[in-house]
Amino acid sequence: MPSFNNANKIMKKITSIIFSTILIFHIYSVKAQNYNQNIDNIVAECSYDTILQNLDEFEDLGIKEPGTTELENTLFWLEDKYASYGYSDFYRDTFTYAGHTLVNLVVTKQGSQFPDKNLIICGHYDTKNGPGVNDNGSGTAAILEIARLLEPLTSKYTVKFINFSGEEDGLLGSSHYVENVVNPSGMDIVLVFNIDAIGGVNGEDNSIIVCERDESSPSSNNDNSAAFTDSLATLVNLYSNLEAEISYAYGSDYVPFQENEYVITGFYNYVESPYYHTENDILANVDVDYIYETTKAAIGASLFFSKSFDPSVLVSENKVQNIEIYPNPISSSATLNVSPFMGNDITINIHDIAGKEVFTDHFRVISSIYPLNFDNQKSGFYLITIESDNNLFTEKIIVSKNK
Ligand SMILES: [Zn+2]
């Protein structure tokens, strides 16, 4: 085994490897998409039947206006659903309007790594003049399905599912929550992802979902909203059969958040329904296939934005079959093939035989091909470790300069 006897010289060589590799990688990473096989596997569990059943039950719950038993029963129905999925952290954020007590339901899934950082996934459950299967039974069914599939996963960020009340009477619930909970506590919110009216219109071409970004004042949070909304559009393409169209956010529960400089995005149907706020906002008038596809995209986005993964598929050392390093032994350069993509938050480390780190790189997502350059590295054994949120891979590399 070779031994290194000149640390400074090695460090210079290491620096050269780092720079050449990072430079090449960045060219690739611009083109890289965010596709994640593990997210796709969970999106595949999205259940059309569960969504349909929840829409049907939402319709049966009737017209959910302030002060009605229908609205109160819908709250109980939501609590039962979340409880049946395994949730236990419930908070009723209560306020009064026109003499009625209204309730925002906040269901929290604690983050494993960054519990103080919150992804809020929200939509209102009150309706106006009708059972509101589109506005907003559709968003409610999507949020429930996200919650159902997220529950057994590990989420690095805390996820709050919030079913707002009083939306139809002027964004009352979300305004109350922002003023009385978010602002006083200085809540750290990564993103507010609002889902309102994703039902489309039965019989029409519902193939586009609108991804909503913040274009209103204050403008301090608009760039971040645009970046998240661009990601959301990409995630639509990756995890559903829909097309994404980016438009501006208005008139729903993200507004009080964006007015307080929080970063928002949202889903809204492309085909405007003629049934909003009428007795005909019923199951027969929405497109359940469209709600299903939008929900799949919403699940992919929720997993991606909350950094969630399935702990049961954690792969132990050297169990990843899809990583190749070639050639190995290496004379100057090699290619790391990590196709299919193995997770988010990738860290690559290379250590020499003495255990000294000679290379490290970290990035959010990786492209399938990662070039390694050993031009200035000495002959010998190295250990490469590639770690993501749900995978660990180690492999011995042999660098051989022998002629
Ligand atoms: Zn609505």
Side-chain angles (χ1 to χ4, degrees), residues 162-173:
I162 308 184
N163 298 94
F164 286 117
S165 190
E167 194 266 359
E168 300 291 7
D169 292 282
L171 313 179
L172 302 176

PDB file of all heavy atoms in Angstrom, residues 162-173:
ATOM      1  N   ILE A 162     -53.006  22.313   6.918  1.00  0.00           N
ATOM      2  CA  ILE A 162     -53.974  23.245   7.508  1.00  0.00           C
ATOM      3  C   ILE A 162     -55.214  23.317   6.626  1.00  0.00           C
ATOM      4  O   ILE A 162     -55.138  23.633   5.434  1.00  0.00           O
ATOM      5  CB  ILE A 162     -53.387  24.661   7.685  1.00  0.00           C
ATOM      6  CG1 ILE A 162     -52.045  24.595   8.433  1.00  0.00           C
ATOM      7  CG2 ILE A 162     -54.393  25.536   8.443  1.00  0.00           C
ATOM      8  CD1 ILE A 162     -51.433  25.960   8.741  1.00  0.00           C
ATOM      9  N   ASN A 163     -56.352  22.962   7.242  1.00  0.00           N
ATOM     10  CA  ASN A 163     -57.646  23.096   6.580  1.00  0.00           C
ATOM     11  C   ASN A 163     -58.291  24.358   7.142  1.00  0.00           C
ATOM     12  O   ASN A 163     -58.749  24.383   8.284  1.00  0.00           O
ATOM     13  CB  ASN A 163     -58.507  21.864   6.849  1.00  0.00           C
ATOM     14  CG  ASN A 163     -57.862  20.594   6.299  1.00  0.00           C
ATOM     15  OD1 ASN A 163     -57.162  19.882   7.018  1.00  0.00           O
ATOM     16  ND2 ASN A 163     -58.063  20.325   5.023  1.00  0.00           N
ATOM     17  N   PHE A 164     -58.290  25.412   6.307  1.00  0.00           N
ATOM     18  CA  PHE A 164     -58.790  26.706   6.774  1.00  0.00           C
ATOM     19  C   PHE A 164     -60.309  26.796   6.665  1.00  0.00           C
ATOM     20  O   PHE A 164     -60.918  26.232   5.749  1.00  0.00           O
ATOM     21  CB  PHE A 164     -58.177  27.845   5.955  1.00  0.00           C
ATOM     22  CG  PHE A 164     -56.736  28.121   6.298  1.00  0.00           C
ATOM     23  CD1 PHE A 164     -55.746  27.942   5.335  1.00  0.00           C
ATOM     24  CD2 PHE A 164     -56.376  28.552   7.570  1.00  0.00           C
ATOM     25  CE1 PHE A 164     -54.411  28.206   5.639  1.00  0.00           C
ATOM     26  CE2 PHE A 164     -55.043  28.807   7.884  1.00  0.00           C
ATOM     27  CZ  PHE A 164     -54.059  28.638   6.916  1.00  0.00           C
ATOM     28  N   SER A 165     -60.893  27.551   7.592  1.00  0.00           N
ATOM     29  CA  SER A 165     -62.313  27.890   7.530  1.00  0.00           C
ATOM     30  C   SER A 165     -62.445  29.378   7.181  1.00  0.00           C
ATOM     31  O   SER A 165     -61.453  30.111   7.182  1.00  0.00           O
ATOM     32  CB  SER A 165     -62.981  27.580   8.878  1.00  0.00           C
ATOM     33  OG  SER A 165     -64.385  27.678   8.752  1.00  0.00           O
ATOM     34  N   GLY A 166     -63.675  29.798   6.840  1.00  0.00           N
ATOM     35  CA  GLY A 166     -63.937  31.214   6.605  1.00  0.00           C
ATOM     36  C   GLY A 166     -63.263  31.810   5.382  1.00  0.00           C
ATOM     37  O   GLY A 166     -63.198  33.035   5.249  1.00  0.00           O
ATOM     38  N   GLU A 167     -62.795  30.941   4.457  1.00  0.00           N
ATOM     39  CA  GLU A 167     -62.131  31.475   3.263  1.00  0.00           C
ATOM     40  C   GLU A 167     -63.111  32.253   2.399  1.00  0.00           C
ATOM     41  O   GLU A 167     -62.813  33.336   1.901  1.00  0.00           O
ATOM     42  CB  GLU A 167     -61.484  30.324   2.463  1.00  0.00           C
ATOM     43  CG  GLU A 167     -60.488  30.778   1.395  1.00  0.00           C
ATOM     44  CD  GLU A 167     -61.089  30.951   0.007  1.00  0.00           C
ATOM     45  OE1 GLU A 167     -62.303  30.701  -0.172  1.00  0.00           O
ATOM     46  OE2 GLU A 167     -60.355  31.352  -0.898  1.00  0.00           O
ATOM     47  N   GLU A 168     -64.296  31.675   2.243  1.00  0.00           N
ATOM     48  CA  GLU A 168     -65.294  32.281   1.343  1.00  0.00           C
ATOM     49  C   GLU A 168     -65.842  33.605   1.882  1.00  0.00           C
ATOM     50  O   GLU A 168     -66.444  34.375   1.140  1.00  0.00           O
ATOM     51  CB  GLU A 168     -66.452  31.295   1.101  1.00  0.00           C
ATOM     52  CG  GLU A 168     -66.031  29.974   0.468  1.00  0.00           C
ATOM     53  CD  GLU A 168     -65.569  30.094  -0.971  1.00  0.00           C
ATOM     54  OE1 GLU A 168     -65.437  31.214  -1.483  1.00  0.00           O
ATOM     55  OE2 GLU A 168     -65.330  29.031  -1.593  1.00  0.00           O
ATOM     56  N   ASP A 169     -65.627  33.858   3.175  1.00  0.00           N
ATOM     57  CA  ASP A 169     -66.099  35.118   3.756  1.00  0.00           C
ATOM     58  C   ASP A 169     -64.977  36.139   3.899  1.00  0.00           C
ATOM     59  O   ASP A 169     -65.095  37.093   4.671  1.00  0.00           O
ATOM     60  CB  ASP A 169     -66.780  34.832   5.103  1.00  0.00           C
ATOM     61  CG  ASP A 169     -68.079  34.067   4.908  1.00  0.00           C
ATOM     62  OD1 ASP A 169     -69.080  34.693   4.525  1.00  0.00           O
ATOM     63  OD2 ASP A 169     -68.073  32.825   5.065  1.00  0.00           O
ATOM     64  N   GLY A 170     -63.888  35.930   3.167  1.00  0.00           N
ATOM     65  CA  GLY A 170     -62.810  36.924   3.142  1.00  0.00           C
ATOM     66  C   GLY A 170     -61.494  36.451   3.717  1.00  0.00           C
ATOM     67  O   GLY A 170     -60.812  37.230   4.398  1.00  0.00           O
ATOM     68  N   LEU A 171     -61.115  35.215   3.431  1.00  0.00           N
ATOM     69  CA  LEU A 171     -59.826  34.667   3.893  1.00  0.00           C
ATOM     70  C   LEU A 171     -59.681  34.812   5.409  1.00  0.00           C
ATOM     71  O   LEU A 171     -58.603  35.116   5.932  1.00  0.00           O
ATOM     72  CB  LEU A 171     -58.645  35.353   3.190  1.00  0.00           C
ATOM     73  CG  LEU A 171     -58.734  35.503   1.665  1.00  0.00           C
ATOM     74  CD1 LEU A 171     -57.498  36.212   1.121  1.00  0.00           C
ATOM     75  CD2 LEU A 171     -58.904  34.143   0.985  1.00  0.00           C
ATOM     76  N   LEU A 172     -60.810  34.593   6.103  1.00  0.00           N
ATOM     77  CA  LEU A 172     -60.833  34.863   7.545  1.00  0.00           C
ATOM     78  C   LEU A 172     -59.920  33.924   8.325  1.00  0.00           C
ATOM     79  O   LEU A 172     -59.203  34.342   9.228  1.00  0.00           O
ATOM     80  CB  LEU A 172     -62.273  34.718   8.079  1.00  0.00           C
ATOM     81  CG  LEU A 172     -63.330  35.610   7.424  1.00  0.00           C
ATOM     82  CD1 LEU A 172     -64.720  35.279   7.986  1.00  0.00           C
ATOM     83  CD2 LEU A 172     -62.994  37.076   7.648  1.00  0.00           C
ATOM     84  N   GLY A 173     -59.970  32.636   7.975  1.00  0.00           N
ATOM     85  CA  GLY A 173     -59.207  31.654   8.736  1.00  0.00           C
ATOM     86  C   GLY A 173     -57.709  31.831   8.571  1.00  0.00           C
ATOM     87  O   GLY A 173     -56.951  31.830   9.545  1.00  0.00           O
TER      88      GLY A 173
END
